[in-house]
């Protein structure tokens, strides 16, 4: 029988908690063995626990419900943990986790996880960093997957007329081409947003080439969409839509400033941090950012005065870092103002979630 605390000391995530933290957690962990190929959690499900791998291995995959194709995001082994994102952000599971070999895990339920975070808030800092790396990696891999998802569709002209296939391409706003093969002849019909652009068949002109291709009753067709890109938009994006989201942090603590700055810069935000109300107001007037995160205790003001000062010139979303016990008081005092959010100051996951909800364009 192994000593749980000995195992936990080897897990980097727990090491930072020290002896007290480890014993606090040990009492709350449940041990569970898994067979190979067991689904531990599914993408899109709500999250009520996290897992720490003692032995074995899992794969992190993204697999849409309506497809058999899965994308491998990562493999995690002994000492790694997973399932923390849903607990930190309240969002559904970002990926499916499946064991690739018999594995042993510790399970920490959400209620106990919240207790650990309350008692050892620094844990959200290290978890938040890993979470933002994971998020970035998952988004990158999902973007590659969407290139693959644009799979070609093929068939026989004896079963489906080319005219019908071209109508299909138009009604589905195809970006790409239809390739038609008959014997040693190949024709290509190019589309952009469902509008025919050009037709190629030997040296023939577009309209002649199209007439010949439509007359073919045998041969093969292949609809080949261009790869999709995550940043592709329906219409050319306005220049400001390409700008990163701008975030202003107003907080007297350098540690909190740096922590928030690093986290949001990693996921592509432009972040500016200042330490007091006056500098905050000047910066917000100058930058007109997308969202403000402010501590309610500022050296030259408090949260209520700060919000009132901003609302004199801007309706920008403002997120106040408040302790839960003071929140109702702030809500009452600021009830006449719109677009005010509240989160706990140590809860990096909660802060990220609120910013993404209120400030995401
Ligand atoms: P959660 O979203 O709760 O459930 C799925 C889990 O997969 C997620 O938490 C992370 O723990 C894990 N996960 C997601 N993306 C990655 C990644 N890129 N690398 C490692 N683990 C990941």
């Amino acid at each position: 029988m192994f000593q749980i605390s000995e195992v936990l000391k080897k897990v980097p995530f727990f090491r930072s908690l020290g002896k007290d933290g480890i014993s606090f957690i040990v009492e709350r962990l449940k041990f569970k063995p898994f067979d190979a190929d067991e689904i531990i959690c599914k993408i899109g499900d709500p999250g009520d626990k996290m897992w720490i791998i003692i032995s074995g291995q899992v794969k992190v995959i993204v697999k849409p419900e309506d497809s058999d194709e899965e994308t491998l995001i990562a493999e995690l082994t002994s000492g790694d943990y997973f399932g923390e994102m849903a607990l930190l952000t309240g969002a559904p599971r970002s990926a499916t986790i499946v064991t690739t070999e018999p594995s042993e895990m510790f399970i920490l339920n959400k209620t106990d996880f919240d207790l650990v975070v309350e008692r050892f808030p620094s844990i959200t800092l290290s978890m938040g960093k890993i979470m933002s790396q994971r998020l970035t990696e998952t988004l990158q891999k999902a973007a590659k997957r969407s290139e693959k998802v644009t799979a070609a569709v093929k068939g026989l002209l004896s079963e489906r007329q080319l005219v019908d296939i071209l109508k299909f391409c138009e009604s589905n706003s195809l970006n790409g081409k239809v390739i038609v093969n008959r014997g040693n002849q190949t024709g290509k019909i190019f589309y952009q947003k469902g509008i025919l652009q050009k037709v190629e068949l030997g040296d023939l002109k577009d309209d002649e080439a199209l007439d010949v291709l439509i007359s073919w009753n045998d041969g093969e067709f292949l609809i080949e969409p261009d790869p999709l890109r995550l940043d592709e938009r329906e219409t050319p994006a306005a220049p400001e839509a390409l700008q990163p989201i701008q975030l202003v942090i107003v907080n007297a603590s350098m540690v909190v400033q740096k922590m928030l700055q690093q986290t949001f810069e990693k996921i592509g935000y432009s972040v500016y941090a200042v330490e007091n109300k006056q500098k905050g107001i000047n910066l917000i007037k100058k930058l007109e950012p997308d969202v403000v995160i402010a501590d309610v205790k500022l050296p030259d003001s408090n949260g209520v005065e700060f919000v009132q000062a901003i609302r004199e010139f801007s309706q920008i979303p403002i997120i106040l870092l408040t302790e839960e016990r003071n929140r109702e008081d702030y809500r009452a005092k600021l009830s006449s103002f719109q677009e005010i959010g509240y989160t706990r100051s140590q809860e990096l996951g909660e802060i990220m979630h609120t910013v993404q909800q209120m400030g995401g364009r």
Side-chain angles (χ1 to χ4, degrees), residues 245 269 290-291 317 353-361:
I245 294 177
Y269 285 60
D290 298 286
V291 59
H353 188 58
T354 314
V355 168
Q356 278 161 353
Q357 268 187 339
M358 293 184 65
R361 291 192 205 120

Side-chain angles (χ1 to χ4, degrees), residues 60 73-74 76 82-86 92-95 97 134 137-138:
V60 182
I73 304 287
L76 304 174
F82 59 89
E84 81 292 4
M85 288 192 190
R93 296 282 184 213
S94 60
I97 307 279
R134 287 180 168 181
E137 192 186 1
T138 307

Side-chain angles (χ1 to χ4, degrees), residues 41-42 47 49 51 60 73-76 81-87 89 91-97 133-139 141:
C41 66
K42 265 195 185 162
K49 49 175 90 75
W51 295 260
V60 182
I73 304 287
E75 281 172 337
L76 304 174
Y81 62 85
F82 59 89
E84 81 292 4
M85 288 192 190
L87 299 192
T89 63
R93 296 282 184 213
S94 60
T96 296
I97 307 279
Q133 279 161 8
R134 287 180 168 181
L135 253 162
T136 312
E137 192 186 1
T138 307
L139 284 173
K141 295 205 173 155

Side-chain angles (χ1 to χ4, degrees), residues 70-301:
E70 65 178 40
T71 302
L72 179 67
I73 304 287
E75 281 172 337
L76 304 174
T77 58
S78 168
D80 291 329
Y81 62 85
F82 59 89
E84 81 292 4
M85 288 192 190
L87 299 192
L88 281 166
T89 63
R93 296 282 184 213
S94 60
T96 296
I97 307 279
V98 183
T99 49
T100 53
E101 54 187 72
S103 306
E104 295 173 314
M105 318 256 172
F106 284 138
I107 299 175
L108 187 62
N109 286 325
K110 164 118 179 86
T111 342
D112 291 324
F113 175 84
D114 288 343
L115 279 177
V116 174
V117 168
E118 204 179 295
R119 180 89 184 260
F120 303 93
S122 64
I123 204 169
T124 46
L125 186 53
S126 58
M127 277 187 144
K129 277 184 197 156
I130 294 180
M131 185 173 85
S132 63
Q133 279 161 8
R134 287 180 168 181
L135 253 162
T136 312
E137 192 186 1
T138 307
L139 284 173
Q140 278 166 354
K141 295 205 173 155
K144 288 212 180 91
R145 189 189 98 225
S146 68
E147 289 176 13
K148 278 197 275 161
V149 159
T150 55
V153 176
K154 57 182 178 176
L156 296 173
L157 288 177
S158 55
E159 288 171 3
R160 214 165 269 229
Q161 290 194 333
L162 188 61
V163 183
D164 292 334
I165 294 155
L166 300 188
K167 273 190 203 146
F168 170 83
C169 296
E170 281 161 26
S171 57
N172 283 283
S173 304
L174 175 75
N175 279 321
K177 54 186 171 295
V178 180
I179 303 170
V180 194
N181 288 311
R182 187 189 193 217
N184 57 5
Q185 284 184 292
T186 297
K188 288 182 185 163
I189 306 160
F190 294 84
Y191 278 91
Q192 215 163 46
K193 297 208 173 105
I195 299 167
L196 198 149
Q197 303 292 311
K198 64 173 175 165
V199 185
E200 288 177 0
L201 178 66
D203 296 333
L204 295 179
K205 283 199 229 144
D206 289 56
D207 51 348
E208 292 166 354
L210 191 59
D211 281 345
V212 174
L213 292 176
I214 285 175
S215 72
W216 288 357
N217 293 321
D218 56 354
E220 278 183 348
F221 70 86
L222 177 76
I223 305 173
E224 200 177 86
D226 292 337
L228 281 175
R229 296 198 197 300
L230 271 193
D231 56 0
E232 202 164 77
R233 295 197 161 81
E234 270 296 294
T235 46
E240 70 271 20
L242 294 171
Q243 299 290 323
I245 294 177
Q246 286 190 330
L247 176 63
V248 164
I249 296 163
V250 188
N251 198 303
S253 156
M254 284 295 283
V255 176
V256 176
Q257 280 186 17
K258 289 285 161 237
M259 176 183 95
L260 293 174
Q261 195 154 12
Q262 276 174 7
T263 304
F264 283 98
E265 279 177 351
K266 259 200 198 114
I267 54 172
Y269 285 60
S270 280
V271 185
Y272 304 81
V274 288
E275 68 278 15
N276 61 33
K277 173 190 161 196
Q278 199 46 54
K279 287 189 182 171
I281 297 290
N282 293 344
L283 190 62
I284 294 163
K285 278 187 180 159
K286 198 167 119 202
L287 274 181
E288 296 179 7
D290 298 286
V291 59
V292 174
I293 302 180
D295 192 9
V296 287
K297 289 186 210 119
L298 296 171
D300 56 346
S301 179

